[in-house]
């Protein structure tokens, strides 16, 4: 079949909302874009375990500890589904992980901020998982089959994460003045970085137009950011917290909240590797790989032994 015919078939599948599957023909750049986005997403889930992992040993009750452990384990699971989805595009997982460790691959800017108090567990669940849900529910309809299917399960789990975070914030906000101040401080520190999670403004986003044409992305960065603000502000107000933005106000005419300018210099600085915790995060992931080498070696030796036995039996 000619390249033009293959391209036409690919386009008709997109037009008819038929998923592209691993063995289907796809343009090289479509494959590359997916590998870039899915690997960045997988790395974000894995690095994203670190800020919350920091508080597991200091959770204030058994119930909180159980929920936090479960959440952090879920994030590991999300990373693994996503690496598997990425591998169906022909990219080896080991290469993607090496790219993360060398600083070549990106992961979400948000995970380069420190978790200073217990209230940060509430703010991450409420805001970071809330932003992740806003971004990822539309990805359940993304055009690449394995990515879309992985997102369905990821989103169900993220909903539980968001609720457990909001519940922590709600409890702190109605607690002692010191607890309420802790919740407010966490909201102050996590609000703007959460808005940055959606990526640069549409006018500066280099991939959005093409990714929307390929139906990889279903909404632009600004659309998702606005929807997140509209949903989240009433939740914060409901528990008596305020947002660190003097320009935040309901715009009756537009039916949306107006909000202030995001500090894009901070965003670009963080994704270049200069955020408060970038070096610490990569160091932790490299150490995890080195410390886990014996597990991989043992698993490979066991698999080899098993294979030798079945070859002997067959002979
Ligand atoms: N951080 O042209 P665009 C989570 C990069 S999962 C770092 O707009 P695109 C779960 C972008 O890669 C959070 N880099 O790019 C959880 C590109 O760089 P490149 C992760 C960013 O791809 C919760 C350049 O800027 N979610 O939170 C960021 O069309 C709690 C230009 O940007 C996903 O990955 C950023 N925030 O749109 C885990 C969702 N934003 O590659 C633990 C899937 C942009 O050209 C605890 N990904 N960049 O060098 C997406 O939806 C998209 O990839 C966007 C970016 C929206 C992130």
């Amino acid at each position: 079949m000619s390249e033009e015919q293959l391209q036409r078939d690919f386009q008709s599948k997109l037009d008819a909302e038929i998923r592209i599957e691993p063995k289907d023909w796809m343009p090289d750049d479509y494959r590359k874009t997916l590998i870039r986005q899915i690997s960045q997403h997988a790395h974000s889930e894995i690095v994203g375990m670190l800020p919350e992992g920091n508080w597991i040993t200091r959770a204030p009750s058994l119930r909180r500890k159980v929920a936090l452990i479960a959440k952090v384990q879920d994030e590991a699971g999300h990373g693994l589904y996503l690496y598997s989805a990425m591998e169906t595009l022909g990219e080896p997982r080991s290469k993607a992980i090496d790219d993360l460790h060398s600083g070549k691959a990106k992961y979400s800017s948000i995970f380069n901020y420190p978790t200073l108090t217990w209230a940060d567990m509430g703010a991450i669940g409420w805001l970071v998982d809330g932003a992740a849900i806003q971004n990822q529910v539309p990805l359940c309809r993304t055009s690449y089959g394995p990515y879309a299917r992985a997102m369905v399960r990821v989103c169900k789990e993220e909903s539980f994460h968001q609720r457990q975070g909001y519940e922590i914030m709600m409890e702190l906000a109605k607690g002692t003045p010191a607890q309420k101040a802790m919740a407010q401080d966490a909201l102050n520190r996590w609000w703007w970085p959460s808005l940055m999670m959606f990526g640069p403004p549409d006018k500066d986003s280099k991939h959005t137009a093409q990714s929307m044409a390929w139906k990889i992305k279903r909404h632009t960065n600004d659309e998702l950011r606005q929807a997140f603000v509209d949903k989240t502000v009433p939740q914060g107000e409901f528990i008596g917290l305020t947002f660190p933005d003097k320009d935040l106000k309901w715009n009756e005419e537009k039916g949306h909240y107006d909000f202030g300018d995001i500090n894009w210099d901070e965003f670009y600085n963080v994704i270049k590797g200069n955020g408060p915790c970038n070096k610490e995060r990569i160091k932790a992931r490299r150490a995890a790989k080195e410390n886990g080498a014996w597990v991989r070696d043992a698993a490979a030796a066991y698999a080899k032994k098993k294979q030798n036995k079945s070859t002997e039996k067959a002979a």
Side-chain angles (χ1 to χ4, degrees), residues 55-62 64-66 68 118:
W55 278 88
I56 289 175
T57 55
R58 290 172 288 165
S61 68
L62 182 61
R64 293 289 181 208
K65 186 183 282 224
V66 168
L68 188 59
W118 171 252

Side-chain angles (χ1 to χ4, degrees), residues 36-37 40-42 44-49 52 71 75 78 106-111 124 128-129 132 135-136 139 147 158 161 196-200 204-208 211 217 221 224 267-268 271:
R36 180 186 62 76
Q37 177 166 326
Q40 181 195 314
H41 194 166
S44 305
E45 302 281 358
I46 297 296
V47 177
M49 295 161 73
E52 287 170 293
K71 178 187 190 303
E75 308 301 358
H78 300 173
K106 291 194 170 72
Y107 57 91
S108 184
S109 49
I110 192 77
F111 301 117
I124 290 184
V128 177
D129 285 275
N135 169 279
Q136 289 169 26
L139 291 177
Y147 191 23
E158 300 292 24
H161 299 168
M196 293 174 197
M197 279 178 76
F198 295 94
D204 301 326
S205 165
K206 53 183 168 169
H207 302 296
T208 295
S211 290
K217 283 170 87 161
N221 300 353
L224 292 169
F267 169 78
Y268 287 113
I271 68 173

Side-chain angles (χ1 to χ4, degrees), residues 150-162:
M151 279 301 108
V152 173
R153 175 150 176 196
V154 168
C155 286
K156 284 186 185 156
E157 292 175 351
E158 300 292 24
S159 299
F160 150 73
H161 299 168
Q162 195 270 355

